[in-house]
Amino acid sequence: LHLEYLLAPNLATEKEDGQDVVWGLTQPQKSLSPRYFYDDRGSQLFEQICKLPEYYPTRTEAWILQNYATQIAQMTGICELVELGSGSSSKTRLLLDAYRGLGYPLRYVPIDVSAGILKASAKQLLADYPTLQVYGLVSTYELALQKLMPTPLPSRTICFLGSTLGNFNQAQCDRFFAQVTAALQPGDYFLLGIDLQKPKDILEAAYNDSQGVTAEFNRNMLRHLNWRFGGNFDPNLFEHRAFYNASEAQIEMHLSVKRSHSVHLKALDLTVQFREGETLLTEISRKFDREQMQKYLAKQGLKLRQTWSDPNNWFGLMLAQV
Ligand code: AVI
């Protein structure tokens, strides 16, 4: 079995994690990093979200891959596929199928902060693709990008699907691109999925599903923090809120406080007061414009080779090269 795990986060990250929680919970607008959504339960809930009728991004991106993965594989040629935030790796299968169809060797490096889902999906991939080599990294993107080994294949393609880029603010996005381009050699590729701007009602429905899975996903972050930092959040005291902020072109997810109370996080030595009606921002999900993204990629030293989209132009898949 070609399967290796690098177990992270290490101590340094744990400490840093805590600091961002302390910072976020002591600002006038309280906020937490969306990466705290993804404990094992959160990753499962996210998989459920991806199948919801209202949540169009996953289905739309999969449609694009079903139709164009072979073109992508032909453009990149033989390469190692690195996937940031691999989750269940289900969309990656469409890429692997295309590379396999062209008779290319398959080498896949999934990176995810959630060990459970990464291990399970890597094992299943090994069973389904007998010639596949998998090197899974349980890690944050930042650490993993620093730890990538030189690839034995002619080139590398870093995939960042699902519009997870939209969960970064501009400063985080700039930092992320610096890390990605540092992990790429001239001639290597970056495959980026972005959710595009569209009418508000479609966007808001996608983040307010009728089954309440997104609400549960949002509140699960508090359970994750309880576990990780010895906290006593009561998720029942928080209500899910998601709306489109048109001036920022982003969906915002908040947890709205039902009644005033305080929360203690033992491992962080932190007590936080929550006022009735105030909100805790748990996620932004930016919606992009194709032309602006093309300009931005160019500024990062990446040449756009092609953009694929669906018939509604709801989602974009961009292949850029260093
Ligand atoms: C992972 N990320 C791109 C999702 C999004 O749409 O921003 C996370 C999500 N939040 C609520 N639903 C899905």
Side-chain angles (χ1 to χ4, degrees), residues 38 46 49 55 162-164 167 207 214 217 253 283 285 287:
Y38 302 98
F46 181 64
I49 288 175
Y55 194 74
S163 201
T164 304
N167 300 136
Y207 293 83
T214 310
F217 173 72
M253 290 220 311
E283 182 178 69
S285 190
K287 305 303 163 191

Side-chain angles (χ1 to χ4, degrees), residues 11 17 21 33 83 101 111 130 152 158 202 215-216 246 252 266 275 308 314:
L11 280 177
D17 283 356
V21 171
S33 163
E83 185 173 18
I111 295 165
I158 295 184
I202 298 166
E216 199 43 41
E252 292 182 11
K266 219 193 246 167
R275 280 172 287 106
W308 295 271
W314 279 4

Side-chain angles (χ1 to χ4, degrees), residues 116-164:
I117 197 160
L118 189 137
K119 284 185 194 172
S121 58
K123 281 196 182 127
Q124 195 53 51
L125 283 172
L126 287 169
D128 297 343
Y129 297 82
T131 63
L132 177 68
Q133 294 187 334
V134 179
Y135 296 87
L137 301 178
V138 179
S139 171
T140 59
Y141 305 146
E142 189 171 10
L143 284 177
L145 286 168
Q146 287 165 17
K147 284 182 179 153
L148 287 179
M149 309 282 268
T151 175
L153 295 183
S155 70
R156 165 174 288 156
T157 299
I158 295 184
C159 308
F160 197 38
L161 303 177
S163 201
T164 304

Side-chain angles (χ1 to χ4, degrees), residues 115-251:
I117 197 160
L118 189 137
K119 284 185 194 172
S121 58
K123 281 196 182 127
Q124 195 53 51
L125 283 172
L126 287 169
D128 297 343
Y129 297 82
T131 63
L132 177 68
Q133 294 187 334
V134 179
Y135 296 87
L137 301 178
V138 179
S139 171
T140 59
Y141 305 146
E142 189 171 10
L143 284 177
L145 286 168
Q146 287 165 17
K147 284 182 179 153
L148 287 179
M149 309 282 268
T151 175
L153 295 183
S155 70
R156 165 174 288 156
T157 299
I158 295 184
C159 308
F160 197 38
L161 303 177
S163 201
T164 304
L165 185 70
N167 300 136
F168 298 163
N169 65 30
Q170 196 53 52
Q172 292 165 334
C173 188
D174 294 346
R175 223 176 309 131
F176 172 76
F177 268 94
Q179 289 155 4
V180 167
T181 48
L184 294 171
Q185 301 292 322
D188 282 351
Y189 290 91
F190 183 55
L191 182 66
L192 174 67
I194 52 167
D195 197 10
L196 300 172
Q197 291 166 10
K198 61 184 64 60
K200 186 181 163 115
D201 53 331
I202 298 166
L203 287 168
E204 291 192 336
Y207 293 83
N208 290 286
D209 67 275
S210 57
Q211 295 170 50
V213 184
T214 310
E216 199 43 41
F217 173 72
N218 199 3
R219 277 192 296 263
N220 180 65
M221 186 188 278
L222 303 178
R223 290 196 192 91
H224 183 197
L225 291 181
N226 283 348
W227 166 77
R228 191 178 264 261
F229 299 113
N232 64 350
F233 276 108
D234 177 355
N236 296 317
L237 294 180
F238 293 82
E239 221 161 38
H240 169 71
R241 289 276 152 77
F243 55 85
Y244 189 57
N245 176 339
S247 60
E248 299 289 333
Q250 65 192 23
I251 284 281

